[in-house]
Amino acid sequence: MSSVTVEELREIEGGLTSLLEPHGFECHPFKIGWYNEQVSKPFVLPYHEDTVAFIIISTPSMFEKAFIPFLASADCLRAKQQDPVDQCMVRHFSAVKSNYPELDIETIHDFETTPNKRPRVLVQTAGHVSGAVRYYQRKDLLADPWSPEKKIYGVCLHPVFGGWFALRGVAIFKTLICPDLQKKLPREILATEQEVAELLRRYNEHWEDWSFRDVITPKERYSEEQKEYFATKPAERLALIEKLVASV
């Protein structure tokens, strides 16, 4: 176990940003203890509370900067039985580990599950405790408009991209601790409880129309090609993939 200063951690963050940003990703640090305080026992990560981790976020430009080039690659052809977006994420998460060969890094993707089908990591919670995004949940409402038995899922907003982003997973630097890293609170993106209720309503009742992503005006949205891709059922995406590959 090695202890790093905040300045040394910022150097690591800068290196990760240099690696990921050209491909349409962001990374934000947090401590495992901050995450573990917010989750129930089955989701606790088995590391020292000061262990350094990063949430990795794909921005709207990831589709053009990372995914389409991946589709045209040999890696994609070899992994054609697996979800192409997931495999693209595997490639870029692997690059994180390769960039720091001297460090013991565990990467966990948003699509990974345990044998009992639980997510291996709750990426929305990780994103929130890093301060990168605001995780809005039913418990944020004093006046709950739904019946108690109705399940209402929470949703994250990005301060720049609104809902036009994705939380792709975490990179845990297993042997690095940073006791002095101070917690960064997420920005309060919505001003009123009514706005929070409207966001949750759109996300839970009308998620397919994309409107929850526009509850604030984003700096950038998904391209029309990206919206078409994600709106198409996975089994029906082959023609789209062939068109995207031909565009490279």
Side-chain angles (χ1 to χ4, degrees):
M1 191 79 68
S2 300
S3 181
V4 294
T5 65
V6 173
E7 291 74 21
E8 289 169 328
L9 179 57
R10 294 305 175 198
E11 289 184 14
I12 294 172
E13 182 181 0
L16 281 175
T17 298
S18 296
L19 177 70
L20 294 170
E21 191 173 58
H23 302 285
F25 297 95
E26 293 180 352
C27 63
H28 301 267
F30 65 96
K31 294 201 288 190
I32 291 295
W34 302 345
Y35 170 87
N36 284 344
E37 288 169 359
Q38 300 297 317
V39 300
S40 58
K41 189 175 180 180
F43 299 103
V44 167
L45 296 170
Y47 300 106
H48 187 280
E49 62 181 10
D50 290 326
T51 301
V52 171
F54 289 84
I55 181 74
I56 298 176
I57 296 172
S58 63
T59 70
S61 67
M62 179 280 296
F63 194 79
E64 285 71 29
K65 292 179 176 179
F67 183 59
I68 293 178
F70 175 75
L71 288 177
S73 71
D75 286 352
C76 184
L77 294 174
R78 284 194 294 268
K80 61 184 177 180
Q81 299 303 317
Q82 298 168 295
D83 181 85
V85 173
D86 290 351
Q87 290 308 305
C88 178
M89 296 306 107
V90 169
R91 171 195 271 188
H92 288 282
F93 277 47
S94 296
V96 169
K97 298 174 76 170
S98 299
N99 203 53
Y100 297 94
E102 75 282 6
L103 298 175
D104 189 2
I105 301 173
E106 178 181 11
T107 56
I108 306 176
H109 297 273
D110 66 311
F111 56 81
E112 290 187 70
T113 59
T114 63
N116 58 11
K117 303 303 181 182
R118 286 195 184 99
R120 287 194 60 209
V121 63
L122 300 179
V123 289
Q124 295 195 107
T125 300
H128 183 90
V129 300
S130 76
V133 296
R134 174 63 162 89
Y135 185 21
Y136 287 102
Q137 302 177 75
R138 189 176 192 170
K139 66 182 182 182
D140 294 316
L141 301 174
L142 295 175
D144 189 330
W146 298 284
S147 61
E149 63 271 12
K150 184 175 177 63
K151 177 69 174 178
I152 298 296
Y153 295 95
V155 59
C156 288
L157 286 184
H158 190 286
V160 175
F161 301 115
W164 300 96
F165 74 99
L167 298 154
R168 295 298 180 180
V170 298
I172 303 168
F173 286 64
K174 295 164 62 173
T175 58
L176 288 188
I177 61 172
C178 187
D180 295 332
L181 182 63
Q182 297 299 303
K183 195 170 188 179
K184 176 185 175 184
L185 295 176
R187 189 185 307 177
E188 285 296 345
I189 299 168
L190 302 179
T192 68
E193 187 169 315
Q194 289 72 27
E195 290 177 338
V196 176
E198 177 63 12
L199 168 66
L200 294 175
R201 185 190 69 79
R202 292 188 193 186
Y203 183 68
N204 282 271
E205 299 174 13
H206 302 286
W207 62 270
E208 289 179 308
D209 68 8
W210 307 90
S211 65
F212 79 90
R213 301 179 187 271
D214 278 325
V215 293
I216 65 167
T217 302
K219 180 181 178 181
E220 186 180 351
R221 294 179 175 89
Y222 290 178
S223 64
E224 291 305 312
E225 291 81 6
Q226 185 169 185
K227 286 193 284 186
E228 182 184 13
Y229 183 87
F230 287 117
T232 302
K233 293 178 181 179
E236 300 170 4
R237 288 175 178 166
L238 181 59
L240 282 177
I241 290 173
E242 290 174 346
K243 183 173 73 172
L244 292 168
V245 170
S247 72
V248 176

